[in-house]
Amino acid sequence: MTVTRLLLLGGTTEALTLAGRLAEAPGLEVISSLAGRTVAHRLPPGRVRVGGFGGVAGLKAFLAAESIGRVIDATHPFAATISRHAATACAEVGVPRLQVLRPAWQPGPGDRWIAVPDMAAAAAALPGLARTAFLAVGRQELAAFAGLKGVRLVVRMVEAPAGALPLEQSEVILARGPYGVADEAALFARYGIEAVVSKNSGGDATVAKLTAARQCGLPVVMIRRPAPPPGEPVPTIEEALSWLDRRR
Ligand code: NAP
C-alpha cells in the first residue's frame, strides 16, 4: 500500500482532534506541526515537529525533504502568517492544501459588540468606553495597548509573562480554558470589568466570556479576523476528513 504523508499545521483543538482521528488511518502518515510558542499541554498522537519552518522557503524545503503529499492547515483563525505561507508554499510546489477554519462568532440579541479591524483599533476604542477592561490575548498582541492611558487592563494569559507587561496599569490572571459562563461573570464582577476585548476566534472553548458579557450587559470590543489566504476553507473536521478521503 502506498503511504501518503500529511503535514498537519496545528496549535488548535481542531488539529489535535484531527490528529487523533487520523492516527490509525491506513495509508496515511501524519506529521503534526506546532509553532512552539507555548508549552503544549497536550501533544497530538503520532509524529510531532516543533518550531517555525523558516518562512515560505523553509516550508517548501520541508515539504520536499519529507515527501509531503497533503497539507491541512488547522491553525488558529488569527495565525495569518503561517496560513499565508502554507498557501504560497503549497501552490508553488503543487501539494494539495486545505484550511480548516472554524466559523466566526456572530452577535445575537442582547450583545453589545463594537467590531474593530485589529488590536490597535481595539486599544483606541477603550478610552471613554471602560475604566477597566478584560483582555484575553497573547503577549505579542499586548504591544498595541502599550500607549493606552487611563484604562486598567486585566489580562488573562496561559503562561506567565517573562517580564513586566508593556502596559500602564495592568493585572495578569493565569488560566487555561475552557471557562464556564458563571466563572467568567464572577471574574468580571470581581475585577470591576466594564468592557471585554476579544478576538473573533470562534469555537466553544472561549465563547463563555461573550455569553457572560451579554448577561452582565458589558460591551465587547470584537476584533475581526484577518482575511484567510485564497482557497475555500472548510468549517469542520468532518469536512477535512472527507477532503482527505477524496484525495487518496
Ligand atoms: P502566525 O503569526 O501565523 O505565525 C508566525 C510564525 O510562527 C510563522 O511564520 C511560522 O514560522 C511559525 N508558525 C506558526 N504556526 C506554526 C505551526 N503550526 N507550525 C510551525 N510553525 C508555525 O502564528 P501565531 O498567531 O503566532 O500562532 C502560533 C501558533 O499558535 C499557531 O500554530 C496557531 O495555530 C496557535 N494559536 C494561535 C492563536 C492566535 O490567537 N494567534 C491562538 C491559539 C493558538 P516560520 O515563518 O519560521 O515558518
Side-chain angles (χ1 to χ4, degrees):
M1 181 193 280
T2 50
V3 174
T4 302
R5 273 209 180 146
L6 168 75
L7 175 64
L8 177 55
L9 299 170
T12 56
T13 320
E14 288 85 347
L16 265 179
T17 310
L18 251 178
R21 295 279 296 270
L22 293 171
E24 305 297 330
L28 194 70
E29 190 186 322
V30 179
I31 304 177
S32 290
S33 177
L34 304 174
R37 293 272 174 84
T38 55
V39 180
H41 67 127
R42 259 175 72 201
L43 279 178
R47 194 172 147 197
V48 179
R49 65 159 305 283
V50 179
F53 295 97
V56 173
L59 182 50
K60 281 167 68 177
F62 182 89
L63 296 176
E66 295 286 350
S67 306
I68 301 294
R70 305 281 181 270
V71 171
I72 293 187
D73 172 4
T75 58
H76 190 270
F78 277 78
T81 307
I82 187 68
S83 292
R84 200 175 58 246
H85 288 179
T88 307
C90 288
E92 287 182 10
V93 299
V95 171
R97 170 195 62 96
L98 180 75
Q99 184 172 13
V100 184
L101 202 56
R102 59 174 94 126
W105 292 315
Q106 302 297 333
D111 280 326
R112 294 171 57 202
W113 288 14
I114 299 157
V116 295
D118 52 31
M119 288 289 162
L126 287 178
L129 185 69
R131 288 161 297 182
T132 302
F134 175 74
L135 300 186
V137 303
R139 194 193 153 89
Q140 302 99 300
E141 296 160 323
L142 287 177
F145 297 84
L148 196 58
K149 302 262 178 272
V151 182
R152 178 173 150 256
L153 297 172
V154 177
V155 185
R156 181 161 64 200
M157 306 177 101
V158 173
E159 285 172 6
L165 296 184
L167 303 172
E168 192 190 63
Q169 298 175 59
S170 66
E171 259 180 79
V172 174
I173 302 173
L174 293 179
R176 195 185 280 274
Y179 312 99
V181 175
D183 294 334
E184 298 290 57
L187 183 149
F188 296 162
R190 189 160 64 247
Y191 286 89
I193 302 298
E194 294 178 341
V196 172
V197 178
S198 174
K199 291 186 279 192
N200 196 333
S201 299
D204 297 334
T206 57
V207 74
K209 63 177 178 280
L210 303 180
T211 313
R214 183 191 314 133
Q215 288 179 0
C216 300
L218 299 181
V220 175
V221 179
M222 183 62 81
I223 301 158
R224 281 190 216 106
R225 293 173 170 199
E232 197 52 44
V234 297
T236 64
I237 288 164
E238 295 308 325
E239 281 163 271
L241 291 169
S242 34
W243 177 85
L244 263 183
D245 274 348
R246 287 198 302 277
R247 277 164 186 75
R248 292 215 281 133

